[in-house]
Amino acid sequence: MSQQGGRPTGHEDDWWGQLYGDFTEDTGPTAAPDSLDDRFASAAGAVNQPAAAGVPGTKAPETGAAVPSPRADPDPVPGRSTFPPGLPKPPGFTVEPPPEPVPPPRPLDYVGHGPPTYAAEPTALPPADPDDLDDLVADTVLDGARYGVCTLRAVSLRGDSARYRGEPRRDSLLTARFGTGDHALILVAMATGARATPGAHRAAAEACHWIGRAVGRSQPKLAEDIRAARRGDLKSGLHRLTDRSLGKLRASAAEQGIEPEEYAATLRCLLLPADPECRTRVFFGVGPGGLFRLRDGEWQDIEPRVTDVTGDPVVGFGSLPAETPEGDRLTMDLGITTPPSPYDPAPEPPREPFRFRASVARPGDALLMCTGGLADPLRGEPELAAHLTGRWSAAEPPGLAEFLADTQVRVKGYADDRTAAAVWEA
């Protein structure tokens, strides 16, 4: 190689000619055609597409694999087949979408044979005392929480009859957590005051207050008994706490100078441990209502049954013995009524029996505790049970607003206050 404009120097420039000369062949010779048209024809053959015929600038390959001839009929539509979503699809594959989940039924205003008598929304407010505004009761109370493996929803709402007449809600609701961490204990208490009494709402609130205080002070022992499954200790202890709470309610009636039955309330409670390893759910209380379990799409009425002794007394159970221990036979009772002694205290009205149930929940269960305002239509109207089954069988529990809408689905002939607490198991 020489300077620009210089003459060649002979053999010194031979290496340049060998590298860039016209007589030098390509460094990668091949016998097969390798033009742009050849590559297009090869690709068209691989995907079963005919090469462009008659298009200017294209020609059929001279050697190599033959290109399939064009066909008169279009390619058949490939059959549907599954392929993992999110990955690139090879030719001929289509992704089948997963089946869409069946949506729950829409909220309803009422179920049954016809619309209820009263309007769906509140009409009149209860009268208020300017010197005792703490005595006012809200129309609706809504609460919820999530602890361990359970989700809680609770609501108390005024019935259609009370909303129309401007009467206060006789039902009371208390939700409370005692303790911290896995040793915490959640209490849901609900009470219903006596019908047609002026202080029914106060009696219900006081009953929830007393049982809440008793359970809160006994929380360490109760939580330990629940985790250890000491059913006998739980039943006797909760029975004692319930009797004390209702006894204070009767004492409050005596202080007000009214009869005990005029300041009485039913009481229903649910204890939920916050420990995710413990699925024991404890129900206890006094008075009518409902305890239901939704399992595998079916409602189960698990309200503890109370067996009352009825009928005439029989020998050995409630009747006098036929003779004395000394062998003397007793005289015949002539049915003469003995007048009451002025020194004997007046007999107390019969008390409601204590109800108790401790059960172990399964994943997917829904436990419902409620007062008679919801228990009665749930037992008496199959459409309401079917509607709540569809609404509460979804994978996720309903939110607070949805739970409120579900619990206030009305049924003609049932217009009392409704209080309910539902627990969904993860």
Side-chain angles (χ1 to χ4, degrees):
M1 183 175 182
S2 60
Q3 299 293 330
Q4 184 176 4
R7 293 183 177 183
T9 57
H11 66 278
E12 296 179 357
D13 295 332
D14 290 344
W15 65 274
W16 181 268
Q18 293 175 5
L19 184 59
Y20 295 105
D22 296 337
F23 59 89
T24 304
E25 297 180 355
D26 191 9
T27 56
T30 177
D34 195 28
S35 65
L36 180 61
D37 297 335
D38 298 331
R39 295 188 179 186
F40 174 78
S42 177
V47 297
N48 296 330
Q49 295 292 338
V55 179
T58 62
K59 63 179 180 178
E62 299 178 358
T63 60
V67 179
S69 59
R71 293 172 294 176
D73 298 333
D75 293 339
V77 178
R80 298 180 64 84
S81 57
T82 59
F83 196 76
L87 299 178
K89 296 179 295 183
F93 278 85
T94 58
V95 177
E96 293 185 358
E100 297 182 358
V102 179
R106 299 179 60 184
L108 299 177
D109 178 29
Y110 66 89
V111 294
H113 303 290
T117 304
Y118 301 101
E121 301 299 330
T123 303
L125 291 172
D129 183 356
D131 297 326
D132 191 13
L133 295 180
D134 293 338
D135 192 51
L136 294 178
V137 180
D139 177 89
T140 303
V141 176
L142 189 63
D143 205 352
R146 178 174 301 198
Y147 285 97
V149 294
C150 64
T151 300
L152 171 66
R153 299 287 182 262
V155 65
S156 180
L157 52 94
R158 196 162 48 137
D160 291 345
S161 176
R163 285 177 169 179
Y164 176 78
R165 302 177 187 277
E167 298 174 353
R169 174 168 47 90
R170 293 186 297 116
D171 280 6
S172 182
L173 173 67
L174 171 68
T175 54
R177 173 180 60 88
F178 303 107
T180 59
D182 292 344
H183 297 278
L185 195 62
I186 293 89
L187 168 68
V188 182
M190 56 186 66
T192 302
R195 191 184 299 273
T197 56
H201 60 290
R202 288 190 295 269
E206 192 172 339
C208 291
H209 171 81
W210 288 120
I211 194 64
R213 175 177 294 186
V215 170
R217 292 177 175 176
S218 306
Q219 176 266 330
K221 176 61 175 174
L222 289 174
E224 180 183 353
D225 289 343
I226 292 176
R227 286 194 299 269
R230 302 189 185 106
R231 185 181 184 279
D233 294 345
L234 281 171
K235 184 176 182 179
S236 60
L238 293 173
H239 192 176
R240 184 171 58 255
L241 296 181
T242 303
D243 282 346
R244 290 178 181 176
S245 301
L246 297 181
K248 292 181 178 180
L249 199 63
R250 290 188 292 269
S252 179
E255 293 176 359
Q256 301 177 39
I258 58 178
E259 297 295 331
E261 59 270 15
E262 296 181 6
Y263 200 74
T266 64
L267 182 63
R268 307 177 68 80
C269 303
L270 190 64
L271 290 178
L272 308 171
D275 187 357
E277 300 299 327
C278 181
R279 288 186 180 267
T280 303
R281 311 296 179 239
V282 179
F283 160 80
F284 67 96
V286 171
L291 184 66
F292 306 93
R293 180 170 56 202
L294 181 59
R295 174 175 289 177
D296 299 330
E298 294 183 359
W299 283 106
Q300 302 172 1
D301 192 344
I302 58 175
E303 174 76 11
R305 302 302 178 189
V306 178
T307 57
D308 297 328
V309 178
T310 59
D312 296 333
V314 296
V315 175
F317 192 87
S319 64
L320 295 175
E323 60 183 16
T324 65
E326 290 78 11
D328 297 332
R329 297 187 61 84
L330 299 177
T331 58
M332 181 182 300
D333 184 9
L334 300 179
I336 301 175
T337 305
T338 303
S341 172
Y343 304 102
D344 294 338
E348 295 183 359
R351 300 181 184 179
E352 289 281 351
F354 178 73
R355 302 168 188 258
F356 174 87
R357 184 183 184 94
S359 58
V360 179
R362 297 180 186 176
D365 284 355
L367 183 66
L368 174 65
M369 179 184 70
C370 55
T371 58
L374 181 59
D376 293 342
L378 194 58
R379 293 188 179 106
E381 181 52 62
E383 289 188 23
L384 179 61
H387 176 72
L388 294 182
T389 300
R391 294 284 299 173
W392 292 355
S393 297
E396 292 293 331
L400 291 178
E402 296 174 331
F403 183 70
L404 174 61
D406 295 338
T407 52
Q408 65 182 1
V409 175
R410 303 181 300 149
V411 181
K412 188 173 183 178
Y414 301 93
D416 286 340
D417 299 346
R418 291 184 179 183
T419 302
V423 180
W424 280 265
E425 303 290 338

